[in-house]
Amino acid sequence: MTKQSSPSRKSWVFAALVLASSSAIIGGTAWGVGNAARDMFLFREEEEEPIVAGGALDRIPALMRGNQPVAVTSVVRQEPRRQKPPRMCEMSSNYFDGLDLERGRAPGYDRRNAYVRNFQSRRGFLTDRELKAAHVAWRYFENFTQENTGLANSVGNYPSTTLWDTASYIAGAVAAYELCIIEKPDFDQRMMRLLTTIKGLDLFRGEMPNKVYHTQTGEKVDYTNKPGEIGFSALDIGRFLVWMRILKNRYPYLANTIDSVLLKWDYSNAVDEEGVLWGAFVDKETGETVYAQEGRLGYEEYAAKGFALWGFQPILAHRAEPFLTASIFGVQVPYDGRDPRVFHSQNYVVTESYLQDGLELGWDMPHDDSSPEWLSTDGWRAEFADRIYQVQENRWRQTGFMTARSEHNVKGPPYFTYDTIFSDGYPWNTVTPRGDYVPDHAAVAAKAAIGMWVLWDTEYTDALFDAIIELYDPENGMYEGLYERGQGRVEIFTANNNGIILTALLHKVQGPILTPYTGNTEVWYTAFRDQDIRQKRNMPDPPTQADWLPAIRHSVQKEADF
């Protein structure tokens, strides 16, 4: 119970003396003075603030913390909560007339470090051309999802997957349902089979999901798809957590199943007290588990937001620092400042992580469920994304090379390339995971092109769209991309490419894919409160406003540097 401050006590004594004097003058009796003093004593007691169970003054025990609601902007700031949009086939013909898109606002940061972008996203119903591409992209998952496990192959017929690509499958399924390509029975059956399988997966050394699983058996495998365990990826897990939160918020009837999947994992080595994300691998000589900081600028912050959506506090992982910039075609392109020679991890600058943040989260903070679509509350992420876009348009205008850079698979060796805007000190550097220079594999990535077309409504992205939108095999899905040097299509089909393309097309119709949570308490926060499991596995309490990731403004490009 709080005590009143000294000025309040002084005011009370003064009031009592005045009242006592008045009573003596009027009535001349001790009875009046005594009555007044008693009344003022009672008045003083009534003004003291009571402790209410679960209120601000209540030091609630750990056992009960899970019953507290998560602090979000709609509650803290008393703002209207965003609403889940209807499926495309359920929208009225004038649906988009009433949206608060606020085009024409001056770009820049506001006082809370939210950002109004230099560009607008495309919004509207899908045209026949776009809907055809959506149907073809979904065809990939119809072909390459395993019936017995519900897992989708990462690449074509190869029966292997990661949590990253599993999230891409979930993204594809959500988009297919919301765009009315599939109906609820099919969607529910797919999601329940998938979630049941994921809950039953054998974890890497009892902690977190292994980096790779066999899609036909659900067994842990290595990169050659042979039985074994190789560690876990904090980045893959972060992306998976984004889509678990999207799935849970949009479809509350799946909430208990989703919570039961995540409650099985041990997060004690994935997020540390300073908010750094850690992955794990197996030392080839000793066989011991080695934990290493994971993530570089772009992907690290996106994954951090996935963890934050479930109450973790990845504060350092969400910051851009340490970062540097490289001046390329008049744009200060941000890249991770950690030296690869020291930290043994490359700092690839690609489009994908910024695209995913924009398409899925609207470049908003994890605690934001009320801001308008035209305002990105994780401001620096939106501002950096605009730079990532602008440098690619500038390259096209100054060299003629159509540019939409991202990592992508290729058919045959080296099987995978990082097709970067900047890496290893060089712009437009295309390299293998080993660091070999492979310029012939530079390509217009289909997922990057369609994603950029949705998020940046410009003449340039119109050209990208026309180059990519019919780049498909009607029976297998969208091709990975179009080679930059004229070798034709990147003739391979992947879950990530088709999932992101479906996500982009859904964003055109519905805007950012994450919708607000509409419940109160969650099993994720209440489970195991009568045991010590939560503490041992580093499971979070429901976040309060004090736990919010800070919205930080980083260096801003103010003028072109040619």
Side-chain angles (χ1 to χ4, degrees), residues 299-376:
Y299 284 112
E300 183 178 12
E301 297 78 20
Y302 168 68
K305 288 163 80 167
F307 279 89
L309 286 169
W310 291 89
F312 296 97
Q313 298 178 49
I315 295 174
L316 289 184
H318 180 254
R319 293 184 67 111
E321 289 90 359
F323 77 96
L324 302 171
T325 60
S327 181
I328 307 172
F329 291 121
V331 178
Q332 297 298 320
V333 175
Y335 68 94
D336 200 287
R338 285 166 280 199
D339 191 333
R341 296 170 299 180
V342 176
F343 291 94
H344 308 292
S345 184
Q346 297 300 315
N347 46 17
Y348 309 113
V349 179
V350 292
T351 310
E352 186 168 328
S353 64
Y354 294 99
L355 274 185
Q356 290 165 323
D357 198 335
L359 294 172
E360 299 162 11
L361 308 176
W363 297 297
D364 281 332
M365 299 298 289
H367 54 263
D368 173 25
D369 69 343
S370 60
S371 68
E373 188 176 327
W374 49 264
L375 186 67
S376 297

Side-chain angles (χ1 to χ4, degrees), residues 197-217:
T197 293
I198 295 173
K199 182 179 180 180
L201 292 177
D202 190 16
L203 303 177
F204 170 76
R205 302 192 174 176
E207 291 188 51
M208 303 290 278
N210 193 49
K211 289 181 179 179
V212 190
Y213 285 91
H214 198 292
T215 55
Q216 293 175 342
T217 65

Side-chain angles (χ1 to χ4, degrees), residues 454-465:
V454 169
L455 292 176
W456 288 272
D457 185 355
T458 66
E459 175 192 20
Y460 173 54
T461 59
D462 284 336
L464 285 175
F465 176 84

Side-chain angles (χ1 to χ4, degrees), residues 6 32 106 117 153 167 187 196 204 258 322 376 389 507-508 537 543 548:
S6 296
R117 296 169 55 223
N153 298 349
F187 175 77
T196 301
F204 170 76
I258 292 168
S376 297
Y389 164 75
H507 186 284
K508 186 195 173 194
R537 295 184 183 173
W548 287 358

Side-chain angles (χ1 to χ4, degrees), residues 117-129:
R117 296 169 55 223
N118 290 298
F119 302 89
Q120 302 293 336
S121 300
R122 296 177 196 267
R123 295 298 307 280
F125 295 108
L126 296 189
T127 65
D128 290 343
R129 196 180 184 195

